[in-house]
């Protein structure tokens, strides 16, 4: 059994898409099973109030802010130390 899920969301849009698609809700449920969920996301001062409201909904997810220099990475979802899944957005 895996004991940790690490996610990097390097854009505000990725953060909001994850919320709208139910991704945080799914991760929160996984956290209920004792698996640590950690999300790194870009700090966005323009939307900080809305972002903080979303973060407050999910008690089983640990949210941390990325440094601005890290924001250039594409969407990366890391399931464990051995496996990585990369999400690409196609417009």
């Amino acid at each position: 059994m895996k004991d940790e899920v690490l996610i990097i969301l390097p854009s505000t849009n990725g953060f909001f898409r994850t919320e709208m698609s139910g991704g945080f809700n799914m991760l929160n449920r996984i956290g209920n099973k004792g698996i640590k969920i950690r999300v790194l996301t870009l700090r966005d001062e323009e939307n900080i109030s809305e972002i903080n409201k979303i973060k407050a909904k999910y008690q089983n997810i640990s949210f941390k802010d990325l440094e601005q220099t890290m924001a250039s990475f594409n969407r990366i979802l890391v399931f464990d130390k051995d496996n990585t899944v990369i999400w690409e957005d196609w417009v």
Side-chain angles (χ1 to χ4, degrees):
M1 181 172 118
K2 305 301 180 190
D3 60 357
E4 185 174 51
V5 176
L6 307 170
I7 298 176
I8 301 173
L9 297 171
S11 73
T12 303
N13 287 338
F15 181 87
F16 288 127
R17 278 193 302 273
T18 303
E19 169 64 6
M20 290 173 39
S21 70
F24 289 139
N25 189 36
M26 177 198 63
L27 291 168
N28 199 59
R29 286 194 316 265
I30 291 170
N32 281 333
K33 297 177 182 177
I35 297 172
K36 287 197 299 191
I37 309 295
R38 296 191 297 166
V39 176
L40 295 175
T41 187
L42 183 63
R43 184 169 183 82
D44 179 357
E45 294 299 329
E46 291 180 22
N47 297 302
I48 194 73
S49 177
E50 189 172 347
I51 289 171
N52 284 339
K53 285 179 190 175
I54 292 170
K55 289 178 177 180
K57 290 173 30 177
Y58 303 106
Q59 301 302 315
N60 295 317
I61 301 175
S62 172
F63 291 95
K64 302 279 185 188
D65 292 333
L66 280 170
E67 294 180 27
Q68 289 291 342
T69 56
M70 296 292 290
S72 61
F73 288 104
N74 285 330
R75 285 120 188 105
I76 300 173
L77 172 61
V78 181
F79 281 99
D80 60 33
K81 303 288 189 235
D82 300 321
N83 298 305
T84 303
V85 176
I86 301 174
W87 288 340
E88 296 283 342
D89 283 340
W90 299 95
V91 180

